[in-house]
Amino acid sequence: METPRELVERMFHGLPARDADAFVELLAPDAVFEIPFVIPGMPTRLVGREEIRAYLAQRWSGMSGIEVHRIYPQVYETADPEVVFVENEVDMTVPGAARARVRTSVNVIRVRDGKVTLFRDYMDTARFARLVDN
């Protein structure tokens, strides 16, 4: 079985494809996805694969003009063997701007029995909204 670190690294390397189905396959059926700092209209908490899948599919479909070339996750293990922290840099191209490598978020992720049970996304939601609205 993969370690939590290996699972999370695999998860982040697959994110540029924006495949909500592939993402939720790595989650426990009752997983929780939290976004503590949201802009109006965004949920703060999603529970279960189907709710998470629907949200991500909608969110990612709204990013059609943004090209994600690669994500560079820096994974940090903690004293709790189920919990990792991740700092993300994304190599991306936004319409009207040059390709850039941008720090986008920090995540707290809990993995139990080979599946993600908690994905807490401390993303810069205001910056994300500006990128999508361009």
Side-chain angles (χ1 to χ4, degrees):
M1 183 184 312
E2 288 177 300
T3 66
R5 175 195 223 31
E6 292 166 339
L7 175 70
V8 168
E9 286 173 343
R10 183 165 57 96
M11 172 183 270
F12 278 86
H13 288 299
L15 282 175
R18 297 184 194 146
D19 183 343
D21 292 326
F23 183 86
V24 300
E25 284 302 314
L26 302 175
L27 306 181
D30 59 347
V32 174
F33 189 102
E34 295 179 344
I35 310 166
F37 305 117
V38 297
I39 56 173
M42 287 182 73
T44 58
R45 182 179 169 93
L46 303 159
V47 179
R49 284 181 182 154
E50 293 312 311
E51 190 172 4
I52 296 166
R53 177 194 326 269
Y55 170 74
L56 291 177
Q58 180 274 327
R59 179 169 129 190
W60 289 340
S61 70
M63 296 176 59
S64 60
I66 299 172
E67 187 175 352
V68 176
H69 307 287
R70 185 167 177 198
I71 297 177
Y72 297 89
Q74 180 62 52
V75 180
Y76 301 94
E77 295 172 299
T78 69
D80 182 335
E82 294 184 342
V83 176
V84 296
F85 291 93
V86 184
E87 290 180 297
N88 297 296
E89 286 191 0
V90 178
D91 178 9
M92 63 194 303
T93 304
V94 177
R99 183 172 172 165
R101 190 163 160 173
V102 181
R103 288 195 178 132
T104 59
S105 66
V106 172
N107 307 104
V108 176
I109 302 171
R110 178 174 294 278
V111 177
R112 182 172 292 143
D113 299 325
K115 296 288 185 181
V116 172
T117 60
L118 172 67
F119 191 103
R120 189 170 294 136
D121 192 0
Y122 291 94
M123 130 175 94
D124 185 346
T125 54
R127 183 183 204 177
F128 170 77
R130 287 190 306 273
L131 292 174
V132 171
D133 289 339
N134 280 338

